[in-house]
Amino acid sequence: MKSKRVVRTLITLGLIAALIAVLYASQNSDPSNPHSSVPEETWIHGPKGHGYAVMNNQQPWKQCYECHEKKGLGGEVYCQSCHDQSGVNVLIPQKPSQ
């Protein structure tokens, strides 16, 4: 009987510790940012980061600009300013006129 109580106590303490760990880890992430789980250096320069997303998403006005504008970063202007700062000479895909 006493061993069951010890096991239950250990399980309870383990679950509480896991809950605290999850709550602590979640404080550092932004659920509205799809890139928050990836370190910035990896996202910008990694093999599956920004360049990969740009090359496989030639419609940034549908997926990128809207979110960047909500964050107060700006749309196409934001992308161009970053490219200018880093010395990248690239043509940003334009939204087709309707």
Side-chain angles (χ1 to χ4, degrees):
M1 214 44 170
K2 184 157 175 118
S3 65
K4 284 185 180 182
R5 184 178 170 109
V6 170
V7 170
R8 283 190 300 210
T9 302
L10 289 174
I11 291 173
T12 301
L13 291 174
L15 288 172
I16 290 172
L19 177 62
I20 291 170
V22 167
L23 291 174
Y24 177 76
S26 69
Q27 296 300 313
N28 296 330
S29 68
D30 180 2
S32 66
N33 182 355
H35 317 299
S36 66
S37 64
V38 181
E40 184 177 356
E41 185 63 28
T42 302
W43 167 242
I44 298 296
H45 301 293
K48 293 278 186 163
H50 171 263
Y52 177 82
V54 170
M55 296 307 291
N56 290 290
N57 169 20
Q58 290 297 311
Q59 299 177 339
W61 57 88
K62 284 186 176 179
Q63 296 178 356
C64 304
Y65 295 166
E66 186 177 319
C67 184
H68 289 171
E69 287 170 1
K70 283 180 187 175
K71 294 283 185 184
L73 301 172
E76 186 178 338
V77 174
Y78 173 69
C79 295
Q80 191 60 53
S81 68
C82 188
H83 291 165
D84 291 345
Q85 287 176 8
S86 60
V88 174
N89 187 14
V90 63
L91 181 63
I92 297 175
Q94 302 293 312
K95 182 176 183 176
S97 58
Q98 307 250 331

